[in-house]
Amino acid sequence: MPVPCATGCGRNASLKRPKTGDALCKECFFWAFETEIHFTITRGELFNRGDSVAVAASGGKDSTVLAHVLKTLNERYNYGLNLILLSIDEGITGYRDDSLETVMQNSADYVMPLKILSYKDLYGWTMDEIVAQIGRKNNCTFCGVFRRQALDRGAALLNVKCIATGHNADDIAETVLMNVLRGDIARLKRCTAISTGSEGTIPRVKPLKYSYEKEIVMYAHYKKLVYFSTECVFAPNAYRGHARALLKDLEKIRPTCIMDIIYSGETMSVKEEVTLPTQRTCSRCNFVSSQEVCKACVLLEGLNKGLPKLGIGKSSKAKRMLEEYNAKQNDSLQEAISEINDEFKKNNCISKGKVCKSNCKSKENKHSTTDLNTVDANTNSCEQVHSNEVTDDNKETKCCNKKQYCTNKKTNETNESNSKAEKLLAEYGIPESSDKPNSIEETNSSQDKVCEIDVSNSVDNEEFDVDLHTNDEVILKEEDNTCAGACGKVDSLHIGF
Ligand code: SF4
């Protein structure tokens, strides 16, 4: 027997609202769902008339519904917003490439301009390449940190007033639970904020903060919205999954638990002695950071130096790794220098402070050899009078008076040795010039300068947490591969932007 819609509209109910248990017809459900979001926006004062707003779009259910509802409300209530879709291409074959097609479709359907930024363009790495380098353990740390910053960069590029993300009520309740379970009180309060971002940064707002995930799926389904629901190929089995499973079990018994948990997080007060992380800008890239150098810069440095674990875990660990790395670099540079010295001792002569690159046959008897680092022009000169300096390595020169003794060809060994040194010098960022380092001390000091990553201001023993999500609410630690992706899959471990 048909059940009438609880609003008294005269239509029959076609669904039971997960949030309230009301039996509603589709039209009344749409109205209730959209109106609640409108109240969230107006009560939270998320937008001002005339604002340009970037809608973080992944192609998943949350961001697709967000874009659709914002467009609807913008027209219905005349917000006067300029809505732009902003997507990040992480470079995950078989996942993001497909979901971006959905975003492009949404862009056409909702008549919203779309901006896509890729990790490859921003950082020089795709997620496929990062996973190939680091494996599957901490891939989501890189992905989440880079995505967060990529959105900031995109928003700055688009010159928008704020970024609207698709975080829903379930995501926020899960985050509250996770922070409680971890004892991460410092972030517990902040994680329920509807708008985040400190002065000078582009704020992020969550219009779907009070929208249940089940209702988002229902809305997308009944509205026949096009969204992407495939799980990321790198999806981990993360700690968030346990919080999600717990929440789903609780929701079955008591659907209001999601709102209740959010309310608990909102009204909880934190003792004064608990220090909250302060936001500032990264001294390297100038984007938002809670450290002197932001996590994205540290992770990228690690990738580029072949130290992918550099940004995983505590800052003190990163510092230690860098010290070891620099020490290793010193060792290998010194090794290369002594190899070069050996080669010179074998194959070269010194004249008037210049290294003769010729292969003088007389060197054994007449040329004294010397260490590259301790050249003494007075005591190590060629007995023959060098009429000219070496002018060209490839041509015959007037290096020695007794031309018949001088073939002036560099041996293969010397070439090899020099090219190795050049490679190392280039790798260490030491400018290659005719003025090669004269001493190991000099070499080391320039190397130290180049190889230094400025984590010095990161407080030792302070945990170097990763804000995994586009908002600050999900904190990833070394042992947790919480996904911050936007797969859009129902019941996946992912949450949207
Ligand atoms: Fe990125 Fe999510 Fe995939 Fe992890 S699972 S790599 S966070 S999209």
Side-chain angles (χ1 to χ4, degrees):
M1 177 159 168
V3 177
C5 177
T7 60
C9 69
R11 288 183 288 258
N12 286 333
S14 51
L15 57 92
K16 188 177 169 189
R17 251 196 105 176
K19 193 172 184 177
T20 59
D22 292 336
L24 296 178
C25 66
K26 276 193 239 172
E27 285 69 22
C28 289
F29 167 67
F30 294 151
W31 183 266
F33 182 82
E34 290 162 0
T35 307
E36 279 182 10
I37 296 171
H38 170 63
F39 286 153
T40 306
I41 290 169
T42 49
R43 278 195 199 138
E45 299 177 349
L46 302 190
F47 309 122
N48 292 314
R49 173 168 293 281
D51 280 355
S52 281
V53 177
V55 181
S58 65
K61 65 184 188 315
D62 298 311
S63 60
T64 300
V65 167
L66 176 67
H68 182 275
V69 172
L70 282 183
K71 178 186 164 59
T72 305
L73 297 179
N74 195 27
E75 289 164 2
R76 183 182 298 162
Y77 297 103
N78 195 18
Y79 289 165
L81 300 178
N82 172 31
L83 299 169
I84 304 163
L85 295 175
L86 173 59
S87 280
I88 307 301
D89 178 4
E90 298 95 342
I92 304 174
T93 312
Y95 168 62
R96 184 55 79 214
D97 40 4
D98 292 340
S99 68
L100 282 177
E101 284 179 23
T102 310
V103 179
M104 287 176 208
Q105 179 68 47
N106 290 341
S107 167
D109 291 348
Y110 306 154
V111 201
M112 281 186 202
L114 166 65
K115 176 76 189 165
I116 301 176
L117 292 179
S118 73
Y119 282 8
K120 187 70 179 174
D121 289 344
L122 293 177
Y123 306 111
W125 293 77
T126 64
M127 271 312 292
D128 287 342
E129 289 166 348
I130 292 172
V131 170
Q133 173 91 356
I134 64 159
R136 298 285 284 265
K137 192 158 180 272
N138 292 302
N139 52 303
C140 294
T141 305
F142 286 84
C143 190
V145 170
F146 286 168
R147 185 189 299 112
R148 178 182 166 73
Q149 196 194 68
L151 278 175
D152 282 336
R153 287 173 181 248
L157 209 68
L158 294 170
N159 197 23
V160 293
K161 276 278 163 22
C162 66
I163 307 168
T165 64
H167 289 102
N168 60 43
D170 297 48
D171 300 328
I172 294 163
E174 282 162 21
T175 309
V176 172
L177 283 180
M178 283 168 65
N179 284 335
V180 169
L181 294 173
R182 286 167 165 164
D184 198 342
I185 306 301
R187 286 177 170 85
L188 187 53
K189 195 164 167 63
R190 195 175 64 171
C191 74
T192 54
I194 195 163
S195 175
T196 53
S198 53
E199 208 180 312
T201 63
I202 297 173
R204 286 153 196 256
V205 296
K206 298 174 229 176
L208 302 185
K209 180 184 172 186
Y210 299 114
S211 303
Y212 277 30
E213 185 182 58
K214 280 184 182 169
E215 296 201 352
I216 289 172
V217 175
M218 269 186 178
Y219 185 87
H221 174 73
Y222 287 122
K223 282 276 184 185
K224 295 189 171 47
L225 302 184
V226 179
Y227 68 90
F228 186 76
S229 58
T230 300
E231 198 168 358
C232 170
V233 290
F234 301 136
N237 188 11
Y239 190 53
R240 174 169 281 270
H242 301 295
R244 170 157 288 209
L246 173 61
L247 191 70
K248 292 288 173 215
D249 285 346
L250 293 170
E251 190 190 359
K252 278 181 211 151
I253 305 161
R254 183 184 154 89
T256 57
C257 76
I258 295 176
M259 291 298 284
D260 294 339
I261 291 170
I262 294 174
Y263 177 74
S264 303
E266 284 174 337
T267 51
M268 199 173 284
S269 64
V270 179
K271 279 185 185 174
E272 275 179 18
E273 55 261 36
V274 176
T275 46
L276 293 165
T278 49
Q279 286 203 331
R280 47 184 163 169
T281 51
C282 170
S283 60
R284 283 194 167 190
C285 67
N286 280 331
F287 283 94
V288 190
S289 173
S290 56
Q291 304 278 340
E292 169 74 14
V293 177
C294 76
K295 196 73 176 172
C297 284
V298 176
L299 288 173
L300 192 59
E301 187 84 29
L303 280 175
N304 292 334
K305 281 191 183 314
L307 295 171
K309 291 200 170 169
L310 189 65
I312 310 291
K314 298 180 178 181
S315 58
S316 52
K317 187 178 154 196
K319 219 171 172 180
R320 200 175 58 242
M321 284 176 79
L322 274 172
E323 280 164 10
E324 284 167 13
Y325 175 82
N326 285 338
K328 221 166 138 191
Q329 300 288 61
N330 273 344
D331 290 349
S332 54
L333 191 57
Q334 286 189 32
E335 204 180 292
I337 287 170
S338 50
E339 262 183 48
I340 295 165
N341 285 334
D342 291 346
E343 292 301 331
F344 273 109
K345 278 176 186 168
K346 274 193 232 158
N347 302 313
N348 295 282
C349 61
I350 303 294
S351 175
K352 293 181 180 174
K354 302 276 180 185
V355 177
C356 170
K357 294 182 179 179
S358 68
N359 188 21
C360 298
K361 287 178 183 171
S362 61
K363 65 181 178 292
E364 273 184 26
N365 299 325
K366 299 183 177 180
H367 292 202
S368 51
T369 57
T370 190
D371 192 300
L372 176 64
N373 299 317
T374 53
V375 169
D376 183 334
N378 296 323
T379 57
N380 294 294
S381 56
C382 180
E383 279 183 21
Q384 299 171 21
V385 178
H386 285 217
S387 55
N388 278 302
E389 293 174 7
V390 177
T391 53
D392 186 329
D393 290 344
N394 299 319
K395 290 178 194 162
E396 192 177 47
T397 67
K398 297 171 186 169
C399 172
C400 301
N401 275 345
K402 295 183 181 174
K403 220 170 168 186
Q404 67 271 24
Y405 292 139
C406 186
T407 59
N408 196 33
K409 282 179 190 159
K410 282 200 274 181
T411 63
N412 288 341
E413 290 81 12
T414 310
N415 274 334
E416 212 172 86
S417 170
N418 285 343
S419 70
K420 185 175 177 182
E422 278 158 14
K423 226 167 108 188
L424 276 162
L425 293 170
E427 190 183 318
Y428 301 159
I430 298 169
E432 210 185 320
S433 73
S434 53
D435 300 317
K436 302 280 186 199
N438 282 329
S439 69
I440 287 177
E441 286 72 30
E442 185 182 323
T443 308
N444 288 347
S445 67
S446 49
Q447 179 200 343
D448 284 343
K449 219 171 170 182
V450 172
C451 295
E452 184 186 12
I453 289 183
D454 185 13
V455 290
S456 54
N457 289 328
S458 304
V459 186
D460 248 356
N461 302 323
E462 186 189 334
E463 199 152 41
F464 210 167
D465 286 329
V466 178
D467 288 342
L468 179 62
H469 279 230
T470 52
N471 295 61
D472 290 345
E473 70 275 39
V474 180
I475 310 305
L476 186 79
K477 298 186 181 179
E478 187 170 13
E479 71 279 7
D480 177 26
N481 270 339
T482 303
C483 167
C487 303
K489 185 169 180 177
V490 184
D491 288 331
S492 76
L493 304 182
H494 302 238
I495 67 168
F497 279 122

